[in-house]
Amino acid sequence: MLEGQTCLVTGASRGIGRGVAEELGTHGANVVVNYRSSEDLAHEVCDHIEDDCDGEAVPAQADVADYDEVQTMVEGVREEFGGVDVLVNNAGITVDKKFESMTREDWDRVVDVNLGGVFNCTKACFEDLCDAEDGRLINISSVVGQQGNYGQANYATTKSGLFGFTRTIALEMASSGSTANCVAPGFVATDMLETVPERVQEKILDRIPLNRFATVDDVAGIVRFVASEDAGYMTGQILAVNGGMEW
Ligand code: NAP
């Protein structure tokens, strides 16, 4: 159970982030539901957590790529709950193109959100996570960061980058007793997967030994475990949740 823990989940209005926020709320945590533009959906997630779970939930608008917005959001969390115990860096985007057509702008957009956002949020929460002594930093990477993927040079680079970041922060946090880990999902049925053409989805499915895409719940349960006391001696690790895909 996560009673008394305050968990900030970025990109929690939809998809994996929403599933994680609801899972943590179901287990008693106070949840901060960050979103960029889907205000109504973020409120819906909070209502669901408050109605069905023990913890409190509040929506928090901020573009994770914006350093000042993230600082303001985290100051708000501190005023409301006293600090962040669990940070789930989930917000992420894709801008898929073959490398020969990829522009510098396509590259920068993805790097700014997927890595810049992780820097901004971790920076804003770092002291709180260390002060918590059993704090948890959980970065949502991807099997694409492990394998690479056609048309995703920008995205794959950001998702691989999280491995080095997580490992390093794990070392720098270790003396406080807090941990940093990566969860690397395979292909999950969310809006992000909807952007992949159907014929490509079929090819991906052929590569998944469990023969199905992951559900949001497949990932959320693992994140809840990593956030829990049971995972206290695990740090700097990559947990692959990919239906048996090799890498
Ligand atoms: P999704 O359905 O597209 O949802 C993305 C979420 O991130 C939304 O809540 C969105 O908020 C938020 N977001 C996007 N840019 C943001 C920003 N700049 N600041 C704050 N929030 C932002 O994505 P998903 O499939 O759930 O993916 C979530 C994470 O899992 C990503 O990091 C992704 O790389 C990773 N992942 C996904 C898959 C997959 O197959 N789906 C597989 C492996 C890893 P708004 O609604 O307000 O725009």
Side-chain angles (χ1 to χ4, degrees), residues 10-17 34-39 41 62-65 89-94 113-114 140-143 155 159 184-193:
T10 68
S13 53
R14 297 184 278 123
I16 294 171
N34 161 255
Y35 66 98
R36 179 186 45 184
S37 52
S38 304
E39 186 175 2
L41 289 178
D63 179 343
V64 295
N89 278 318
N90 166 77
I93 61 166
T94 52
V113 175
N114 295 10
I140 306 298
S141 178
S142 168
V143 68
Y155 179 78
K159 293 298 171 180
F187 293 87
V188 189
T190 67
D191 294 347
M192 189 177 274
L193 191 62

mmCIF file of all heavy atoms in Angstrom, residues 10-17 34-39 41 62-65 89-94 113-114 140-143 155 159 184-193, ligand 1:
data_model
loop_
_atom_site.group_PDB
_atom_site.id
_atom_site.type_symbol
_atom_site.label_atom_id
_atom_site.label_comp_id
_atom_site.label_asym_id
_atom_site.label_seq_id
_atom_site.Cartn_x
_atom_site.Cartn_y
_atom_site.Cartn_z
ATOM 1 N N THR A 10 3.616 12.303 -14.551
ATOM 2 C CA THR A 10 3.526 13.236 -15.677
ATOM 3 C C THR A 10 2.785 12.565 -16.832
ATOM 4 O O THR A 10 2.833 11.341 -17.000
ATOM 5 C CB THR A 10 4.922 13.721 -16.128
ATOM 6 O OG1 THR A 10 5.651 12.631 -16.700
ATOM 7 C CG2 THR A 10 5.701 14.326 -14.968
ATOM 8 N N GLY A 11 2.066 13.389 -17.600
ATOM 9 C CA GLY A 11 1.296 12.855 -18.730
ATOM 10 C C GLY A 11 0.274 11.836 -18.272
ATOM 11 O O GLY A 11 0.187 10.736 -18.820
ATOM 12 N N ALA A 12 -0.529 12.227 -17.280
ATOM 13 C CA ALA A 12 -1.444 11.248 -16.653
ATOM 14 C C ALA A 12 -2.893 11.445 -17.090
ATOM 15 O O ALA A 12 -3.787 10.839 -16.520
ATOM 16 C CB ALA A 12 -1.322 11.327 -15.130
ATOM 17 N N SER A 13 -3.125 12.270 -18.098
ATOM 18 C CA SER A 13 -4.509 12.475 -18.543
ATOM 19 C C SER A 13 -4.995 11.335 -19.427
ATOM 20 O O SER A 13 -6.196 11.147 -19.592
ATOM 21 C CB SER A 13 -4.617 13.797 -19.315
ATOM 22 O OG SER A 13 -3.659 13.840 -20.355
ATOM 23 N N ARG A 14 -4.051 10.592 -20.024
ATOM 24 C CA ARG A 14 -4.431 9.531 -20.966
ATOM 25 C C ARG A 14 -3.438 8.383 -20.849
ATOM 26 O O ARG A 14 -2.388 8.510 -20.226
ATOM 27 C CB ARG A 14 -4.365 10.055 -22.409
ATOM 28 C CG ARG A 14 -5.310 11.163 -22.712
ATOM 29 C CD ARG A 14 -5.259 11.579 -24.177
ATOM 30 N NE ARG A 14 -4.150 12.488 -24.458
ATOM 31 C CZ ARG A 14 -3.204 12.251 -25.362
ATOM 32 N NH1 ARG A 14 -3.188 11.129 -26.044
ATOM 33 N NH2 ARG A 14 -2.238 13.137 -25.573
ATOM 34 N N GLY A 15 -3.775 7.263 -21.492
ATOM 35 C CA GLY A 15 -2.829 6.183 -21.741
ATOM 36 C C GLY A 15 -2.177 5.601 -20.499
ATOM 37 O O GLY A 15 -2.818 5.406 -19.455
ATOM 38 N N ILE A 16 -0.885 5.320 -20.613
ATOM 39 C CA ILE A 16 -0.148 4.646 -19.546
ATOM 40 C C ILE A 16 -0.148 5.504 -18.281
ATOM 41 O O ILE A 16 -0.349 4.996 -17.167
ATOM 42 C CB ILE A 16 1.307 4.354 -20.003
ATOM 43 C CG1 ILE A 16 1.299 3.339 -21.151
ATOM 44 C CG2 ILE A 16 2.145 3.846 -18.835
ATOM 45 C CD1 ILE A 16 2.651 3.128 -21.820
ATOM 46 N N GLY A 17 0.056 6.800 -18.434
ATOM 47 C CA GLY A 17 0.103 7.688 -17.261
ATOM 48 C C GLY A 17 -1.195 7.659 -16.485
ATOM 49 O O GLY A 17 -1.195 7.623 -15.256
ATOM 50 N N ASN A 34 -0.527 15.161 -13.728
ATOM 51 C CA ASN A 34 -0.024 16.207 -14.634
ATOM 52 C C ASN A 34 -0.564 15.981 -16.047
ATOM 53 O O ASN A 34 -0.742 14.855 -16.492
ATOM 54 C CB ASN A 34 1.513 16.181 -14.644
ATOM 55 C CG ASN A 34 2.078 16.887 -15.861
ATOM 56 O OD1 ASN A 34 2.545 16.246 -16.813
ATOM 57 N ND2 ASN A 34 2.025 18.200 -15.881
ATOM 58 N N TYR A 35 -0.797 17.078 -16.730
ATOM 59 C CA TYR A 35 -1.210 17.025 -18.132
ATOM 60 C C TYR A 35 -0.707 18.288 -18.812
ATOM 61 O O TYR A 35 -0.333 19.263 -18.147
ATOM 62 C CB TYR A 35 -2.747 16.928 -18.252
ATOM 63 C CG TYR A 35 -3.452 18.169 -17.747
ATOM 64 C CD1 TYR A 35 -3.881 19.165 -18.636
ATOM 65 C CD2 TYR A 35 -3.647 18.379 -16.384
ATOM 66 C CE1 TYR A 35 -4.497 20.317 -18.167
ATOM 67 C CE2 TYR A 35 -4.259 19.532 -15.913
ATOM 68 C CZ TYR A 35 -4.680 20.494 -16.814
ATOM 69 O OH TYR A 35 -5.271 21.640 -16.342
ATOM 70 N N ARG A 36 -0.701 18.261 -20.154
ATOM 71 C CA ARG A 36 -0.305 19.460 -20.896
ATOM 72 C C ARG A 36 -1.531 20.222 -21.385
ATOM 73 O O ARG A 36 -1.682 21.390 -21.097
ATOM 74 C CB ARG A 36 0.590 19.078 -22.078
ATOM 75 C CG ARG A 36 1.023 20.278 -22.923
ATOM 76 C CD ARG A 36 1.784 19.832 -24.144
ATOM 77 N NE ARG A 36 1.102 18.703 -24.774
ATOM 78 C CZ ARG A 36 1.559 18.034 -25.829
ATOM 79 N NH1 ARG A 36 2.719 18.352 -26.347
ATOM 80 N NH2 ARG A 36 0.869 17.035 -26.352
ATOM 81 N N SER A 37 -2.448 19.522 -22.084
ATOM 82 C CA SER A 37 -3.600 20.229 -22.670
ATOM 83 C C SER A 37 -4.950 19.575 -22.381
ATOM 84 O O SER A 37 -5.970 20.237 -22.506
ATOM 85 C CB SER A 37 -3.406 20.378 -24.176
ATOM 86 O OG SER A 37 -3.101 19.125 -24.738
ATOM 87 N N SER A 38 -4.976 18.295 -21.989
ATOM 88 C CA SER A 38 -6.264 17.593 -21.812
ATOM 89 C C SER A 38 -6.837 17.828 -20.413
ATOM 90 O O SER A 38 -6.912 16.905 -19.583
ATOM 91 C CB SER A 38 -6.082 16.095 -22.049
ATOM 92 O OG SER A 38 -5.548 15.859 -23.302
ATOM 93 N N GLU A 39 -7.292 19.060 -20.182
ATOM 94 C CA GLU A 39 -7.765 19.432 -18.843
ATOM 95 C C GLU A 39 -8.954 18.573 -18.388
ATOM 96 O O GLU A 39 -8.970 18.064 -17.259
ATOM 97 C CB GLU A 39 -8.152 20.912 -18.843
ATOM 98 C CG GLU A 39 -8.507 21.423 -17.475
ATOM 99 C CD GLU A 39 -8.781 22.920 -17.463
ATOM 100 O OE1 GLU A 39 -8.739 23.560 -18.533
ATOM 101 O OE2 GLU A 39 -9.060 23.428 -16.367
ATOM 102 N N LEU A 41 -9.917 15.634 -19.338
ATOM 103 C CA LEU A 41 -9.541 14.240 -19.062
ATOM 104 C C LEU A 41 -8.800 14.132 -17.729
ATOM 105 O O LEU A 41 -9.013 13.197 -16.954
ATOM 106 C CB LEU A 41 -8.658 13.692 -20.194
ATOM 107 C CG LEU A 41 -9.350 13.443 -21.531
ATOM 108 C CD1 LEU A 41 -8.353 12.959 -22.584
ATOM 109 C CD2 LEU A 41 -10.474 12.421 -21.375
ATOM 110 N N ALA A 62 1.065 21.480 -16.661
ATOM 111 C CA ALA A 62 2.419 21.982 -16.950
ATOM 112 C C ALA A 62 2.934 21.249 -18.174
ATOM 113 O O ALA A 62 2.745 20.037 -18.291
ATOM 114 C CB ALA A 62 3.375 21.742 -15.780
ATOM 115 N N ASP A 63 3.564 21.995 -19.058
ATOM 116 C CA ASP A 63 4.293 21.367 -20.158
ATOM 117 C C ASP A 63 5.636 20.937 -19.580
ATOM 118 O O ASP A 63 6.430 21.788 -19.154
ATOM 119 C CB ASP A 63 4.475 22.394 -21.283
ATOM 120 C CG ASP A 63 5.245 21.837 -22.467
ATOM 121 O OD1 ASP A 63 5.911 20.792 -22.318
ATOM 122 O OD2 ASP A 63 5.192 22.464 -23.536
ATOM 123 N N VAL A 64 5.897 19.635 -19.544
ATOM 124 C CA VAL A 64 7.123 19.182 -18.873
ATOM 125 C C VAL A 64 8.378 19.730 -19.547
ATOM 126 O O VAL A 64 9.439 19.791 -18.917
ATOM 127 C CB VAL A 64 7.205 17.637 -18.765
ATOM 128 C CG1 VAL A 64 6.113 17.085 -17.866
ATOM 129 C CG2 VAL A 64 7.210 16.972 -20.133
ATOM 130 N N ALA A 65 8.254 20.123 -20.808
ATOM 131 C CA ALA A 65 9.415 20.675 -21.511
ATOM 132 C C ALA A 65 9.743 22.099 -21.062
ATOM 133 O O ALA A 65 10.783 22.638 -21.438
ATOM 134 C CB ALA A 65 9.165 20.645 -23.015
ATOM 135 N N ASN A 89 8.138 9.738 -14.351
ATOM 136 C CA ASN A 89 8.373 10.508 -15.583
ATOM 137 C C ASN A 89 7.810 9.711 -16.745
ATOM 138 O O ASN A 89 8.489 8.849 -17.331
ATOM 139 C CB ASN A 89 9.873 10.733 -15.783
ATOM 140 C CG ASN A 89 10.397 11.904 -14.971
ATOM 141 O OD1 ASN A 89 9.759 12.948 -14.887
ATOM 142 N ND2 ASN A 89 11.568 11.721 -14.371
ATOM 143 N N ASN A 90 6.544 9.997 -17.057
ATOM 144 C CA ASN A 90 5.846 9.219 -18.080
ATOM 145 C C ASN A 90 5.582 10.008 -19.364
ATOM 146 O O ASN A 90 5.543 9.421 -20.450
ATOM 147 C CB ASN A 90 4.513 8.722 -17.488
ATOM 148 C CG ASN A 90 3.585 8.200 -18.557
ATOM 149 O OD1 ASN A 90 3.746 7.092 -19.062
ATOM 150 N ND2 ASN A 90 2.598 9.011 -18.938
ATOM 151 N N ALA A 91 5.393 11.329 -19.246
ATOM 152 C CA ALA A 91 4.991 12.117 -20.426
ATOM 153 C C ALA A 91 5.979 11.890 -21.567
ATOM 154 O O ALA A 91 7.198 11.948 -21.364
ATOM 155 C CB ALA A 91 4.932 13.600 -20.077
ATOM 156 N N GLY A 92 5.450 11.627 -22.742
ATOM 157 C CA GLY A 92 6.332 11.404 -23.886
ATOM 158 C C GLY A 92 5.566 11.562 -25.181
ATOM 159 O O GLY A 92 4.345 11.414 -25.217
ATOM 160 N N ILE A 93 6.300 11.901 -26.242
ATOM 161 C CA ILE A 93 5.667 12.063 -27.556
ATOM 162 C C ILE A 93 6.493 11.353 -28.627
ATOM 163 O O ILE A 93 7.667 11.028 -28.396
ATOM 164 C CB ILE A 93 5.528 13.558 -27.950
ATOM 165 C CG1 ILE A 93 6.897 14.247 -28.033
ATOM 166 C CG2 ILE A 93 4.600 14.295 -26.989
ATOM 167 C CD1 ILE A 93 6.862 15.601 -28.739
ATOM 168 N N THR A 94 5.864 11.154 -29.769
ATOM 169 C CA THR A 94 6.587 10.657 -30.948
ATOM 170 C C THR A 94 6.380 11.643 -32.105
ATOM 171 O O THR A 94 5.325 12.270 -32.207
ATOM 172 C CB THR A 94 6.045 9.281 -31.409
ATOM 173 O OG1 THR A 94 4.624 9.377 -31.563
ATOM 174 C CG2 THR A 94 6.359 8.181 -30.423
ATOM 175 N N VAL A 113 10.743 17.156 -25.023
ATOM 176 C CA VAL A 113 9.725 16.580 -24.124
ATOM 177 C C VAL A 113 10.266 15.333 -23.426
ATOM 178 O O VAL A 113 10.225 15.223 -22.191
ATOM 179 C CB VAL A 113 8.431 16.232 -24.899
ATOM 180 C CG1 VAL A 113 7.431 15.520 -23.987
ATOM 181 C CG2 VAL A 113 7.802 17.497 -25.495
ATOM 182 N N ASN A 114 10.809 14.396 -24.203
ATOM 183 C CA ASN A 114 11.122 13.075 -23.645
ATOM 184 C C ASN A 114 12.377 13.071 -22.771
ATOM 185 O O ASN A 114 12.480 12.262 -21.845
ATOM 186 C CB ASN A 114 11.297 12.056 -24.776
ATOM 187 C CG ASN A 114 10.013 11.828 -25.561
ATOM 188 O OD1 ASN A 114 9.038 12.540 -25.393
ATOM 189 N ND2 ASN A 114 10.006 10.842 -26.436
ATOM 190 N N ILE A 140 9.679 6.158 -17.489
ATOM 191 C CA ILE A 140 9.052 5.264 -18.461
ATOM 192 C C ILE A 140 9.828 5.350 -19.777
ATOM 193 O O ILE A 140 9.771 6.345 -20.499
ATOM 194 C CB ILE A 140 7.559 5.605 -18.678
ATOM 195 C CG1 ILE A 140 6.804 5.627 -17.336
ATOM 196 C CG2 ILE A 140 6.936 4.592 -19.649
ATOM 197 C CD1 ILE A 140 6.772 4.319 -16.568
ATOM 198 N N SER A 141 10.571 4.292 -20.051
ATOM 199 C CA SER A 141 11.334 4.198 -21.300
ATOM 200 C C SER A 141 10.517 3.390 -22.309
ATOM 201 O O SER A 141 9.290 3.515 -22.358
ATOM 202 C CB SER A 141 12.695 3.566 -21.007
ATOM 203 O OG SER A 141 13.424 3.426 -22.200
ATOM 204 N N SER A 142 11.169 2.538 -23.088
ATOM 205 C CA SER A 142 10.454 1.761 -24.111
ATOM 206 C C SER A 142 11.368 0.672 -24.647
ATOM 207 O O SER A 142 12.596 0.836 -24.682
ATOM 208 C CB SER A 142 10.056 2.684 -25.270
ATOM 209 O OG SER A 142 9.610 1.919 -26.365
ATOM 210 N N VAL A 143 10.762 -0.397 -25.134
ATOM 211 C CA VAL A 143 11.524 -1.427 -25.842
ATOM 212 C C VAL A 143 12.243 -0.809 -27.047
ATOM 213 O O VAL A 143 13.308 -1.279 -27.468
ATOM 214 C CB VAL A 143 10.593 -2.594 -26.292
ATOM 215 C CG1 VAL A 143 9.624 -2.150 -27.379
ATOM 216 C CG2 VAL A 143 11.381 -3.809 -26.759
ATOM 217 N N TYR A 155 12.913 9.346 -31.235
ATOM 218 C CA TYR A 155 12.244 8.725 -30.071
ATOM 219 C C TYR A 155 13.145 7.662 -29.414
ATOM 220 O O TYR A 155 13.312 7.634 -28.198
ATOM 221 C CB TYR A 155 10.927 8.120 -30.549
ATOM 222 C CG TYR A 155 10.115 7.425 -29.494
ATOM 223 C CD1 TYR A 155 9.345 8.147 -28.577
ATOM 224 C CD2 TYR A 155 10.088 6.030 -29.399
ATOM 225 C CE1 TYR A 155 8.578 7.506 -27.613
ATOM 226 C CE2 TYR A 155 9.323 5.379 -28.441
ATOM 227 C CZ TYR A 155 8.568 6.118 -27.558
ATOM 228 O OH TYR A 155 7.812 5.485 -26.596
ATOM 229 N N LYS A 159 14.636 7.391 -25.555
ATOM 230 C CA LYS A 159 14.279 6.287 -24.657
ATOM 231 C C LYS A 159 15.522 5.527 -24.203
ATOM 232 O O LYS A 159 15.583 5.021 -23.087
ATOM 233 C CB LYS A 159 13.243 5.372 -25.328
ATOM 234 C CG LYS A 159 11.892 6.063 -25.532
ATOM 235 C CD LYS A 159 11.265 6.473 -24.192
ATOM 236 C CE LYS A 159 10.049 7.332 -24.291
ATOM 237 N NZ LYS A 159 9.481 7.710 -23.000
ATOM 238 N N ALA A 184 10.456 -0.301 -19.003
ATOM 239 C CA ALA A 184 10.531 -0.236 -20.471
ATOM 240 C C ALA A 184 9.424 -1.095 -21.080
ATOM 241 O O ALA A 184 9.615 -2.296 -21.310
ATOM 242 C CB ALA A 184 11.908 -0.701 -20.944
ATOM 243 N N PRO A 185 8.258 -0.490 -21.319
ATOM 244 C CA PRO A 185 7.164 -1.275 -21.906
ATOM 245 C C PRO A 185 7.470 -1.634 -23.355
ATOM 246 O O PRO A 185 8.229 -0.941 -24.040
ATOM 247 C CB PRO A 185 5.959 -0.318 -21.854
ATOM 248 C CG PRO A 185 6.355 0.800 -20.938
ATOM 249 C CD PRO A 185 7.838 0.896 -21.032
ATOM 250 N N GLY A 186 6.827 -2.714 -23.806
ATOM 251 C CA GLY A 186 6.793 -3.021 -25.234
ATOM 252 C C GLY A 186 5.752 -2.118 -25.873
ATOM 253 O O GLY A 186 5.668 -0.928 -25.548
ATOM 254 N N PHE A 187 4.941 -2.654 -26.750
ATOM 255 C CA PHE A 187 3.932 -1.845 -27.453
ATOM 256 C C PHE A 187 2.609 -1.937 -26.699
ATOM 257 O O PHE A 187 2.097 -3.027 -26.463
ATOM 258 C CB PHE A 187 3.818 -2.313 -28.908
ATOM 259 C CG PHE A 187 5.083 -2.014 -29.681
ATOM 260 C CD1 PHE A 187 6.147 -2.915 -29.674
ATOM 261 C CD2 PHE A 187 5.231 -0.816 -30.361
ATOM 262 C CE1 PHE A 187 7.327 -2.629 -30.355
ATOM 263 C CE2 PHE A 187 6.408 -0.521 -31.044
ATOM 264 C CZ PHE A 187 7.461 -1.433 -31.042
ATOM 265 N N VAL A 188 2.089 -0.774 -26.314
ATOM 266 C CA VAL A 188 0.928 -0.713 -25.424
ATOM 267 C C VAL A 188 -0.239 -0.082 -26.173
ATOM 268 O O VAL A 188 -0.052 0.923 -26.884
ATOM 269 C CB VAL A 188 1.252 0.148 -24.170
ATOM 270 C CG1 VAL A 188 0.132 0.040 -23.146
ATOM 271 C CG2 VAL A 188 2.589 -0.262 -23.559
ATOM 272 N N ALA A 189 -1.424 -0.651 -25.980
ATOM 273 C CA ALA A 189 -2.610 -0.139 -26.691
ATOM 274 C C ALA A 189 -3.048 1.207 -26.104
ATOM 275 O O ALA A 189 -3.805 1.268 -25.139
ATOM 276 C CB ALA A 189 -3.741 -1.154 -26.579
ATOM 277 N N THR A 190 -2.528 2.298 -26.670
ATOM 278 C CA THR A 190 -2.896 3.662 -26.262
ATOM 279 C C THR A 190 -3.018 4.510 -27.532
ATOM 280 O O THR A 190 -2.763 4.026 -28.636
ATOM 281 C CB THR A 190 -1.813 4.314 -25.372
ATOM 282 O OG1 THR A 190 -0.649 4.517 -26.177
ATOM 283 C CG2 THR A 190 -1.467 3.475 -24.156
ATOM 284 N N ASP A 191 -3.318 5.795 -27.341
ATOM 285 C CA ASP A 191 -3.387 6.712 -28.491
ATOM 286 C C ASP A 191 -2.078 6.706 -29.278
ATOM 287 O O ASP A 191 -2.068 6.863 -30.492
ATOM 288 C CB ASP A 191 -3.643 8.159 -28.016
ATOM 289 C CG ASP A 191 -5.015 8.312 -27.393
ATOM 290 O OD1 ASP A 191 -5.847 7.391 -27.546
ATOM 291 O OD2 ASP A 191 -5.259 9.355 -26.743
ATOM 292 N N MET A 192 -0.944 6.542 -28.557
ATOM 293 C CA MET A 192 0.360 6.575 -29.238
ATOM 294 C C MET A 192 0.477 5.447 -30.256
ATOM 295 O O MET A 192 0.957 5.640 -31.374
ATOM 296 C CB MET A 192 1.483 6.486 -28.205
ATOM 297 C CG MET A 192 2.858 6.718 -28.771
ATOM 298 S SD MET A 192 4.145 6.689 -27.513
ATOM 299 C CE MET A 192 4.141 8.371 -26.949
ATOM 300 N N LEU A 193 -0.013 4.258 -29.884
ATOM 301 C CA LEU A 193 0.049 3.114 -30.801
ATOM 302 C C LEU A 193 -0.911 3.314 -31.979
ATOM 303 O O LEU A 193 -0.654 2.837 -33.088
ATOM 304 C CB LEU A 193 -0.272 1.817 -30.047
ATOM 305 C CG LEU A 193 -0.005 0.502 -30.795
ATOM 306 C CD1 LEU A 193 1.474 0.340 -31.131
ATOM 307 C CD2 LEU A 193 -0.481 -0.695 -29.983
HETATM 308 P P1 NAP B 1 -0.316 8.895 -24.972
HETATM 309 O O1 NAP B 1 -1.491 8.007 -24.913
HETATM 310 O O2 NAP B 1 -0.027 9.622 -26.241
HETATM 311 O O3 NAP B 1 -0.438 9.954 -23.752
HETATM 312 C C1 NAP B 1 0.572 10.889 -23.594
HETATM 313 C C2 NAP B 1 0.387 11.644 -22.292
HETATM 314 O O4 NAP B 1 1.514 12.499 -22.129
HETATM 315 C C3 NAP B 1 -0.840 12.509 -22.266
HETATM 316 O O5 NAP B 1 -1.363 12.517 -20.962
HETATM 317 C C4 NAP B 1 -0.307 13.882 -22.645
HETATM 318 O O6 NAP B 1 -1.033 14.982 -22.075
HETATM 319 C C5 NAP B 1 1.049 13.828 -21.980
HETATM 320 N N1 NAP B 1 2.009 14.758 -22.548
HETATM 321 C C6 NAP B 1 2.512 14.784 -23.805
HETATM 322 N N2 NAP B 1 3.384 15.803 -23.927
HETATM 323 C C7 NAP B 1 3.413 16.427 -22.728
HETATM 324 C C8 NAP B 1 4.108 17.543 -22.224
HETATM 325 N N3 NAP B 1 4.953 18.238 -22.996
HETATM 326 N N4 NAP B 1 3.903 17.901 -20.942
HETATM 327 C C9 NAP B 1 3.044 17.229 -20.152
HETATM 328 N N5 NAP B 1 2.350 16.152 -20.573
HETATM 329 C C10 NAP B 1 2.540 15.771 -21.847
HETATM 330 O O7 NAP B 1 1.032 8.132 -24.633
HETATM 331 P P2 NAP B 1 1.256 6.677 -23.970
HETATM 332 O O8 NAP B 1 1.210 5.670 -25.028
HETATM 333 O O9 NAP B 1 0.418 6.543 -22.773
HETATM 334 O O10 NAP B 1 2.798 6.825 -23.539
HETATM 335 C C11 NAP B 1 3.172 7.248 -22.249
HETATM 336 C C12 NAP B 1 4.664 6.993 -22.075
HETATM 337 O O11 NAP B 1 4.932 5.604 -22.280
HETATM 338 C C13 NAP B 1 5.535 7.752 -23.067
HETATM 339 O O12 NAP B 1 6.720 8.175 -22.441
HETATM 340 C C14 NAP B 1 5.863 6.710 -24.118
HETATM 341 O O13 NAP B 1 7.076 6.977 -24.745
HETATM 342 C C15 NAP B 1 5.932 5.457 -23.256
HETATM 343 N N6 NAP B 1 5.701 4.223 -24.001
HETATM 344 C C16 NAP B 1 4.553 4.045 -24.732
HETATM 345 C C17 NAP B 1 4.381 2.849 -25.430
HETATM 346 C C18 NAP B 1 3.150 2.571 -26.271
HETATM 347 O O14 NAP B 1 3.192 1.609 -27.055
HETATM 348 N N7 NAP B 1 2.065 3.300 -26.131
HETATM 349 C C19 NAP B 1 5.367 1.866 -25.362
HETATM 350 C C20 NAP B 1 6.502 2.084 -24.601
HETATM 351 C C21 NAP B 1 6.658 3.271 -23.918
HETATM 352 P P3 NAP B 1 -2.208 15.719 -22.896
HETATM 353 O O15 NAP B 1 -3.346 14.727 -22.956
HETATM 354 O O16 NAP B 1 -2.554 16.898 -22.072
HETATM 355 O O17 NAP B 1 -1.642 16.020 -24.240
#
